[in-house]
Amino acid sequence: MVATGSQTPQDGRRRRPVRRNVGRIAGVAVVGTALVGLLSGCSIDQAFAFGWPQGGVTPQSHRMFNLWIGSTIAALAVGVFVWGLIFWCVVRYRKRGDQELPTQTRFNLPIELIYTVAPVLIISVLFYYTAIVQTDVNRISAHPDVTVNVDAFKWNWKFSYPSTVGPDGQPVYTIGTDTYIPVLVLPTNKTILFNEHSADVIHSFWVPEMLFKRDVFPGNVRNQFQTTILQEGAYVGRCAELCGTYHSMMNFEVRAVTPAKYDQFLAAKAAGKTTAEALAGIGESPLATTTTPFPNKRTADSTST
């Protein structure tokens, strides 16, 4: 008698090769991913950072890093699920011999509902956490520990400390020149408010280790942001907005020191000492250590004459 109905033995024999093929494809995908990581020369930490810069020195940079990692893992999970469905359909429903096409269905309401609701839920969750991190990055407290004025001009920076007055009765400041990289001295573990303004065109205040930048506008627009530096050190700063001929040379340095050294630095500035002298007085390098002045056309012309 010919077997009818589900034909379980034959179906079992047919499913086993399909499962083996799916397993092989998954294995190849895993090995391929590992080879890409190894051949790219990335360390384990760098590979699992998924392209996000590491070494942030502010709480905001750490929160942005966590948001990036979570978003990337969610995207990979969705991608692996979709790729798995695609490969499973390719293998499971491939044409065998003279087999005719399977029954074609025009719609499947449950699946269409899932395909509509699932993306909305995923986007809603990502939007929620993005809004939380963004709000935290832009939060400004009413009473910061330190306030610094950042004035940009073509093609250098001026940093002033409005709470400390020098012998001339004006706030003490540091200003860059063609031959001097301005050093912005800041304390660690203190909330710092940056008030930004430009004298001419749009610039952008960027410290890579903060994993953050904010544009500096001319006119009546004054941008602000607030952060806390967690680690002592010297960090190069740059202009991240194309602002003219010497845009690439518009560097500065952030020098993060202990609060005690910061107070000593401001006391020296209030007494009339230069930034270099005040830095030397607290045991720091008097000049920038992360970048040097770039020769420009004016320097080259003066040298040649």
Side-chain angles (χ1 to χ4, degrees):
M1 180 179 294
V2 178
T4 59
S6 61
Q7 297 181 351
T8 303
Q10 293 181 5
D11 287 349
R13 287 193 296 271
R14 289 177 181 174
R15 290 194 184 106
R16 280 193 290 271
V18 172
R19 292 171 183 168
R20 285 197 295 269
N21 290 335
V22 173
R24 290 171 185 166
I25 293 173
V28 170
V30 172
V31 173
T33 303
L35 285 176
V36 169
L38 291 174
L39 294 176
S40 63
C42 296
S43 66
I44 297 297
D45 291 340
Q46 291 173 333
F48 285 100
F50 301 112
W52 187 266
Q54 293 179 292
V57 296
T58 65
Q60 291 87 343
S61 65
H62 296 166
R63 295 187 184 99
M64 289 187 286
F65 177 81
N66 293 333
L67 175 64
W68 173 263
I69 296 299
S71 302
T72 304
I73 291 175
L76 287 174
V78 173
V80 169
F81 177 71
V82 173
W83 296 333
L85 288 179
I86 292 174
F87 290 131
W88 181 78
C89 291
V90 168
V91 175
R92 177 67 179 83
Y93 297 106
R94 71 187 187 279
K95 185 176 181 181
R96 297 179 177 85
D98 296 332
Q99 180 182 5
E100 296 181 358
L101 287 174
T103 303
Q104 303 296 297
T105 56
R106 296 183 180 180
F107 63 89
N108 187 309
L109 185 57
I111 291 181
E112 290 180 0
L113 288 175
I114 293 174
Y115 285 169
T116 302
V117 173
V120 172
L121 290 176
I122 293 172
I123 293 172
S124 299
V125 172
L126 291 177
F127 178 83
Y128 171 76
Y129 285 106
T130 300
I132 289 177
V133 174
Q134 179 176 298
T135 301
D136 180 71
V137 169
N138 290 324
R139 181 179 290 112
I140 295 178
S141 62
H143 304 286
D145 297 321
V146 176
T147 299
V148 176
N149 291 336
V150 177
D151 293 287
F153 57 93
K154 294 192 294 188
W155 284 273
N156 226 310
W157 303 88
K158 177 183 176 182
F159 306 118
S160 57
Y161 305 84
S163 62
T164 303
V165 178
D168 59 355
Q170 298 297 319
V172 297
Y173 64 88
T174 297
I175 189 169
T177 66
D178 291 347
T179 58
Y180 174 72
I181 297 292
V183 179
L184 174 58
V185 181
L186 297 171
T188 56
N189 300 310
K190 297 288 185 180
T191 56
I192 306 167
L193 176 64
F194 296 82
N195 295 315
E196 301 178 336
H197 183 257
S198 172
D200 34 53
V201 299
I202 298 176
H203 301 279
S204 187
F205 182 90
W206 178 42
V207 180
E209 279 78 8
M210 291 183 182
L211 304 184
F212 177 85
K213 72 179 184 69
R214 176 138 294 174
D215 287 349
V216 185
F217 293 99
N220 296 325
V221 180
R222 289 185 177 272
N223 260 352
Q224 291 182 317
F225 74 94
Q226 185 174 291
T227 190
T228 300
I229 301 177
L230 302 176
Q231 300 176 17
E232 296 179 42
Y235 309 109
V236 66
R238 308 184 189 279
C239 175
E241 186 77 24
L242 183 59
C243 57
T245 307
Y246 300 112
H247 157 71
S248 62
M249 306 176 187
M250 194 171 165
N251 292 351
F252 62 94
E253 179 175 286
V254 169
R255 189 76 60 83
V257 299
T258 63
K261 284 188 175 182
Y262 176 74
D263 291 339
Q264 295 173 14
F265 169 81
L266 288 184
K269 291 287 292 180
K273 292 187 177 180
T274 65
T275 299
E277 293 171 340
L279 282 170
I282 61 174
E284 294 284 331
S285 173
L287 301 177
T289 59
T290 57
T291 183
T292 56
F294 291 86
N296 53 45
K297 187 175 185 300
R298 286 174 290 181
T299 304
D301 290 344
S302 62
T303 303
S304 62
T305 57

